[in-house]
Amino acid sequence: ERFRLKFSKVLEKLLKRVIKDRYDFSPSNIFGELKQLGALLASIDCIIGTIAGISKTGSVPEELLTPSESMTNYLLLELVKCKKGEVRETVEDLGDDVKFIEPVLRRCEQELGMKLPTPAVVPTSSGSGESSFRERLEALKRLRESNGK
């Protein structure tokens, strides 16, 4: 257990050092070379879901999960700092493909003093999940257009 805890903390420090190095290399946009924001956000969502699942089972001490939570929060915070509203838009575009990232994203936006979005009212469908997903996407697009985006 002590080894895993120490290893988790080492990984956390490594991530922070990599982010710091990226700021030294490209201070204006450390994620300027990032091409697949959606894939990265889906991966972060998966990590958050895994942490939550492990936490619920109680099979791993909380102190082992803390560095993972901290790294995930830190990475998302840095993404929001650099990409601003693009992160929110991408999460909204991903829809039901991401289930766990929303509360962490809201905390990051709040911490940065960003205006928190009001939940969009989207139509629900009694049909297939695919048509419901498309309806939600269309509703989100209309909402963005009406907000001048």
Side-chain angles (χ1 to χ4, degrees):
E1 297 271 328
R2 285 181 65 186
F3 173 76
R4 291 192 302 179
L5 177 60
K6 188 170 184 140
F7 186 69
S8 294
K9 288 181 179 181
V10 167
L11 288 177
E12 181 181 16
K13 286 179 182 178
L14 181 62
L15 173 69
K16 289 181 178 182
R17 177 169 279 162
V18 167
I19 296 287
K20 183 189 174 301
D21 287 347
R22 293 294 301 173
Y23 271 118
D24 292 343
F25 177 72
S26 177
S28 62
N29 187 359
I30 65 169
F31 295 105
E33 298 168 4
L34 180 63
K35 303 288 185 225
Q36 296 291 326
L37 180 60
L40 179 57
L41 292 172
S43 296
I44 291 172
D45 183 73
C46 181
I47 293 168
I48 294 169
T50 301
I51 293 168
I54 291 171
S55 182
K56 282 182 184 177
T57 66
S59 61
V60 173
E62 279 297 313
E63 66 245 9
L64 284 178
L65 296 177
T66 301
S68 298
E69 288 174 344
S70 176
M71 281 189 295
T72 306
N73 291 336
Y74 183 73
L75 180 58
L76 189 57
L77 181 67
E78 292 299 325
L79 270 171
V80 173
K81 272 185 197 176
C82 293
K83 296 287 189 179
K84 308 218 182 315
E86 187 179 347
V87 173
R88 165 65 58 196
E89 289 175 11
T90 304
V91 166
E92 288 174 356
D93 288 345
L94 290 169
D96 288 342
D97 291 337
V98 291
K99 298 174 178 79
F100 304 101
I101 201 169
E102 181 62 31
V104 181
L105 177 57
R106 281 189 168 274
R107 272 196 314 270
C108 292
E109 290 168 334
Q110 197 169 25
E111 186 175 326
L112 294 171
M114 296 173 69
K115 181 181 175 194
L116 296 178
T118 54
V121 178
V122 294
T124 57
S125 170
S126 58
S128 73
E130 179 65 24
S131 66
S132 175
F133 175 74
R134 286 188 179 158
E135 288 173 2
R136 286 193 315 273
L137 253 178
E138 289 301 316
L140 287 170
K141 286 178 186 175
R142 286 191 300 276
L143 181 65
R144 281 195 194 133
E145 288 169 0
S146 69
N147 289 335
K149 289 194 174 202

Short mmCIF file of all heavy atoms in Angstrom, two decimals, residues 108-143:
data_model
loop_
_atom_site.label_atom_id
_atom_site.label_comp_id
_atom_site.label_asym_id
_atom_site.label_seq_id
_atom_site.Cartn_x
_atom_site.Cartn_y
_atom_site.Cartn_z
N CYS A 108 -14.17 23.56 -11.88
CA CYS A 108 -13.06 24.25 -12.55
C CYS A 108 -13.52 25.61 -13.08
O CYS A 108 -12.82 26.62 -12.88
CB CYS A 108 -12.52 23.40 -13.71
SG CYS A 108 -11.68 21.90 -13.20
N GLU A 109 -14.67 25.64 -13.72
CA GLU A 109 -15.19 26.91 -14.26
C GLU A 109 -15.45 27.90 -13.13
O GLU A 109 -15.15 29.08 -13.25
CB GLU A 109 -16.47 26.65 -15.05
CG GLU A 109 -16.23 25.90 -16.35
CD GLU A 109 -17.50 25.39 -17.01
OE1 GLU A 109 -18.52 25.16 -16.30
OE2 GLU A 109 -17.48 25.23 -18.24
N GLN A 110 -15.99 27.39 -12.03
CA GLN A 110 -16.26 28.24 -10.88
C GLN A 110 -14.96 28.77 -10.28
O GLN A 110 -14.85 29.96 -9.96
CB GLN A 110 -17.04 27.44 -9.84
CG GLN A 110 -17.74 28.25 -8.80
CD GLN A 110 -18.69 27.40 -7.98
OE1 GLN A 110 -18.53 26.19 -7.87
NE2 GLN A 110 -19.69 28.04 -7.41
N GLU A 111 -13.97 27.92 -10.15
CA GLU A 111 -12.68 28.32 -9.60
C GLU A 111 -12.02 29.40 -10.44
O GLU A 111 -11.35 30.29 -9.92
CB GLU A 111 -11.75 27.10 -9.50
CG GLU A 111 -10.44 27.38 -8.82
CD GLU A 111 -9.59 26.14 -8.62
OE1 GLU A 111 -10.16 25.05 -8.40
OE2 GLU A 111 -8.36 26.26 -8.70
N LEU A 112 -12.23 29.34 -11.75
CA LEU A 112 -11.64 30.33 -12.66
C LEU A 112 -12.52 31.57 -12.83
O LEU A 112 -12.18 32.47 -13.59
CB LEU A 112 -11.38 29.68 -14.02
CG LEU A 112 -10.33 28.58 -14.03
CD1 LEU A 112 -10.31 27.86 -15.37
CD2 LEU A 112 -8.96 29.14 -13.69
N GLY A 113 -13.66 31.60 -12.13
CA GLY A 113 -14.54 32.75 -12.20
C GLY A 113 -15.30 32.85 -13.50
O GLY A 113 -15.75 33.94 -13.88
N MET A 114 -15.45 31.73 -14.19
CA MET A 114 -16.18 31.73 -15.45
C MET A 114 -17.68 31.68 -15.18
O MET A 114 -18.11 31.17 -14.15
CB MET A 114 -15.77 30.53 -16.30
CG MET A 114 -14.32 30.56 -16.72
SD MET A 114 -13.79 29.05 -17.55
CE MET A 114 -14.68 29.19 -19.10
N LYS A 115 -18.44 32.21 -16.11
CA LYS A 115 -19.89 32.17 -15.99
C LYS A 115 -20.34 30.72 -16.19
O LYS A 115 -20.02 30.09 -17.19
CB LYS A 115 -20.53 33.06 -17.06
CG LYS A 115 -22.02 33.09 -17.00
CD LYS A 115 -22.61 33.96 -18.09
CE LYS A 115 -24.12 33.84 -18.06
NZ LYS A 115 -24.72 34.38 -19.26
N LEU A 116 -21.07 30.21 -15.21
CA LEU A 116 -21.54 28.84 -15.30
C LEU A 116 -22.75 28.79 -16.22
O LEU A 116 -23.65 29.62 -16.11
CB LEU A 116 -21.90 28.29 -13.92
CG LEU A 116 -20.73 28.18 -12.95
CD1 LEU A 116 -21.21 27.68 -11.59
CD2 LEU A 116 -19.67 27.25 -13.48
N PRO A 117 -22.78 27.82 -17.11
CA PRO A 117 -23.90 27.73 -18.04
C PRO A 117 -25.16 27.26 -17.31
O PRO A 117 -25.09 26.50 -16.35
CB PRO A 117 -23.44 26.67 -19.05
CG PRO A 117 -22.49 25.83 -18.29
CD PRO A 117 -21.81 26.76 -17.30
N THR A 118 -26.29 27.76 -17.79
CA THR A 118 -27.55 27.25 -17.26
C THR A 118 -27.86 25.99 -18.02
O THR A 118 -27.60 25.90 -19.23
CB THR A 118 -28.69 28.27 -17.44
OG1 THR A 118 -28.75 28.64 -18.82
CG2 THR A 118 -28.46 29.51 -16.60
N PRO A 119 -28.40 25.00 -17.34
CA PRO A 119 -28.72 23.75 -18.05
C PRO A 119 -29.71 24.02 -19.17
O PRO A 119 -30.69 24.73 -19.00
CB PRO A 119 -29.35 22.87 -16.96
CG PRO A 119 -28.93 23.48 -15.67
CD PRO A 119 -28.73 24.94 -15.93
N ALA A 120 -29.41 23.47 -20.33
CA ALA A 120 -30.28 23.64 -21.48
C ALA A 120 -31.47 22.72 -21.37
O ALA A 120 -31.35 21.57 -20.95
CB ALA A 120 -29.52 23.31 -22.77
N VAL A 121 -32.62 23.23 -21.73
CA VAL A 121 -33.81 22.40 -21.78
C VAL A 121 -33.83 21.77 -23.16
O VAL A 121 -33.92 22.48 -24.16
CB VAL A 121 -35.09 23.22 -21.53
CG1 VAL A 121 -36.32 22.35 -21.65
CG2 VAL A 121 -35.02 23.92 -20.19
N VAL A 122 -33.71 20.48 -23.20
CA VAL A 122 -33.68 19.79 -24.47
C VAL A 122 -34.84 18.83 -24.55
O VAL A 122 -35.29 18.30 -23.53
CB VAL A 122 -32.35 19.03 -24.68
CG1 VAL A 122 -31.20 20.00 -24.79
CG2 VAL A 122 -32.09 18.05 -23.58
N PRO A 123 -35.37 18.62 -25.72
CA PRO A 123 -36.50 17.72 -25.84
C PRO A 123 -36.12 16.29 -25.51
O PRO A 123 -34.99 15.88 -25.75
CB PRO A 123 -36.91 17.86 -27.31
CG PRO A 123 -35.69 18.34 -28.01
CD PRO A 123 -34.92 19.15 -27.00
N THR A 124 -37.04 15.58 -24.95
CA THR A 124 -36.82 14.15 -24.70
C THR A 124 -37.64 13.39 -25.73
O THR A 124 -38.64 13.87 -26.23
CB THR A 124 -37.25 13.75 -23.29
OG1 THR A 124 -38.62 14.10 -23.11
CG2 THR A 124 -36.40 14.44 -22.25
N SER A 125 -37.20 12.22 -26.01
CA SER A 125 -37.86 11.42 -27.03
C SER A 125 -38.17 10.05 -26.47
O SER A 125 -37.39 9.47 -25.73
CB SER A 125 -36.93 11.29 -28.24
OG SER A 125 -37.43 10.35 -29.15
N SER A 126 -39.31 9.53 -26.84
CA SER A 126 -39.64 8.18 -26.42
C SER A 126 -39.14 7.16 -27.43
O SER A 126 -39.29 5.97 -27.24
CB SER A 126 -41.17 8.05 -26.24
OG SER A 126 -41.80 8.37 -27.46
N GLY A 127 -38.51 7.66 -28.49
CA GLY A 127 -37.99 6.78 -29.54
C GLY A 127 -36.64 6.22 -29.15
O GLY A 127 -36.29 6.08 -28.00
N SER A 128 -35.87 5.91 -30.16
CA SER A 128 -34.56 5.28 -29.92
C SER A 128 -33.59 6.29 -29.32
O SER A 128 -33.76 7.49 -29.42
CB SER A 128 -34.00 4.75 -31.24
OG SER A 128 -33.58 5.84 -32.04
N GLY A 129 -32.56 5.78 -28.69
CA GLY A 129 -31.54 6.63 -28.08
C GLY A 129 -30.82 7.48 -29.11
O GLY A 129 -30.43 8.59 -28.84
N GLU A 130 -30.65 6.95 -30.32
CA GLU A 130 -29.94 7.68 -31.37
C GLU A 130 -30.70 8.94 -31.76
O GLU A 130 -30.12 10.00 -31.87
CB GLU A 130 -29.74 6.77 -32.59
CG GLU A 130 -29.04 7.42 -33.76
CD GLU A 130 -27.60 7.80 -33.46
OE1 GLU A 130 -27.00 7.20 -32.57
OE2 GLU A 130 -27.08 8.72 -34.12
N SER A 131 -32.04 8.84 -31.94
CA SER A 131 -32.79 10.03 -32.32
C SER A 131 -32.84 11.02 -31.17
O SER A 131 -32.80 12.22 -31.37
CB SER A 131 -34.20 9.67 -32.79
OG SER A 131 -34.96 9.15 -31.71
N SER A 132 -32.90 10.53 -29.95
CA SER A 132 -32.89 11.40 -28.78
C SER A 132 -31.57 12.16 -28.72
O SER A 132 -31.55 13.36 -28.43
CB SER A 132 -33.10 10.58 -27.51
OG SER A 132 -32.98 11.39 -26.38
N PHE A 133 -30.46 11.47 -28.97
CA PHE A 133 -29.15 12.10 -28.96
C PHE A 133 -29.09 13.19 -30.03
O PHE A 133 -28.62 14.29 -29.76
CB PHE A 133 -28.06 11.06 -29.20
CG PHE A 133 -26.69 11.64 -29.31
CD1 PHE A 133 -26.02 12.11 -28.18
CD2 PHE A 133 -26.06 11.74 -30.54
CE1 PHE A 133 -24.75 12.66 -28.27
CE2 PHE A 133 -24.80 12.29 -30.64
CZ PHE A 133 -24.14 12.75 -29.51
N ARG A 134 -29.59 12.91 -31.21
CA ARG A 134 -29.58 13.90 -32.28
C ARG A 134 -30.45 15.10 -31.94
O ARG A 134 -30.09 16.24 -32.23
CB ARG A 134 -30.04 13.27 -33.60
CG ARG A 134 -29.00 12.38 -34.19
CD ARG A 134 -29.36 11.92 -35.55
NE ARG A 134 -28.29 11.07 -36.05
CZ ARG A 134 -28.43 10.20 -37.00
NH1 ARG A 134 -29.60 10.02 -37.56
NH2 ARG A 134 -27.41 9.47 -37.40
N GLU A 135 -31.60 14.86 -31.32
CA GLU A 135 -32.47 15.97 -30.92
C GLU A 135 -31.76 16.86 -29.90
O GLU A 135 -31.84 18.08 -29.98
CB GLU A 135 -33.77 15.44 -30.33
CG GLU A 135 -34.70 14.83 -31.37
CD GLU A 135 -35.92 14.16 -30.74
OE1 GLU A 135 -36.07 14.20 -29.50
OE2 GLU A 135 -36.71 13.60 -31.50
N ARG A 136 -31.06 16.24 -28.94
CA ARG A 136 -30.34 17.02 -27.94
C ARG A 136 -29.23 17.83 -28.58
O ARG A 136 -29.03 19.00 -28.25
CB ARG A 136 -29.77 16.11 -26.85
CG ARG A 136 -30.81 15.56 -25.91
CD ARG A 136 -30.21 14.93 -24.67
NE ARG A 136 -29.08 14.07 -24.89
CZ ARG A 136 -29.15 12.76 -25.17
NH1 ARG A 136 -30.32 12.19 -25.27
NH2 ARG A 136 -28.07 12.05 -25.34
N LEU A 137 -28.52 17.21 -29.53
CA LEU A 137 -27.46 17.93 -30.24
C LEU A 137 -28.02 19.13 -31.00
O LEU A 137 -27.46 20.23 -30.95
CB LEU A 137 -26.76 17.00 -31.22
CG LEU A 137 -25.36 16.53 -30.85
CD1 LEU A 137 -24.83 15.58 -31.89
CD2 LEU A 137 -24.42 17.63 -30.59
N GLU A 138 -29.13 18.92 -31.68
CA GLU A 138 -29.76 20.01 -32.43
C GLU A 138 -30.22 21.12 -31.49
O GLU A 138 -30.07 22.30 -31.78
CB GLU A 138 -30.94 19.49 -33.27
CG GLU A 138 -30.52 18.64 -34.45
CD GLU A 138 -29.60 19.38 -35.41
OE1 GLU A 138 -29.86 20.56 -35.72
OE2 GLU A 138 -28.59 18.78 -35.84
N ALA A 139 -30.79 20.74 -30.34
CA ALA A 139 -31.24 21.73 -29.37
C ALA A 139 -30.05 22.53 -28.83
O ALA A 139 -30.14 23.75 -28.66
CB ALA A 139 -31.99 21.06 -28.22
N LEU A 140 -28.93 21.85 -28.59
CA LEU A 140 -27.73 22.55 -28.12
C LEU A 140 -27.20 23.51 -29.18
O LEU A 140 -26.78 24.62 -28.88
CB LEU A 140 -26.65 21.56 -27.72
CG LEU A 140 -26.89 20.80 -26.41
CD1 LEU A 140 -25.88 19.68 -26.26
CD2 LEU A 140 -26.85 21.73 -25.23
N LYS A 141 -27.23 23.07 -30.44
CA LYS A 141 -26.77 23.94 -31.52
C LYS A 141 -27.65 25.19 -31.62
O LYS A 141 -27.16 26.30 -31.78
CB LYS A 141 -26.77 23.19 -32.85
CG LYS A 141 -25.65 22.20 -32.97
CD LYS A 141 -25.73 21.46 -34.29
CE LYS A 141 -24.69 20.36 -34.36
NZ LYS A 141 -24.83 19.55 -35.59
N ARG A 142 -28.98 24.99 -31.51
CA ARG A 142 -29.89 26.13 -31.57
C ARG A 142 -29.63 27.07 -30.39
O ARG A 142 -29.66 28.29 -30.55
CB ARG A 142 -31.35 25.67 -31.58
CG ARG A 142 -31.80 25.06 -32.91
CD ARG A 142 -33.31 24.88 -32.95
NE ARG A 142 -33.82 24.01 -31.89
CZ ARG A 142 -33.86 22.67 -31.97
NH1 ARG A 142 -33.42 22.06 -33.05
NH2 ARG A 142 -34.35 21.96 -30.98
N LEU A 143 -29.40 26.52 -29.22
CA LEU A 143 -29.12 27.32 -28.04
C LEU A 143 -27.86 28.15 -28.24
O LEU A 143 -27.82 29.34 -27.95
CB LEU A 143 -28.99 26.44 -26.80
CG LEU A 143 -28.72 27.14 -25.48
CD1 LEU A 143 -29.91 28.01 -25.09
CD2 LEU A 143 -28.44 26.11 -24.40
#
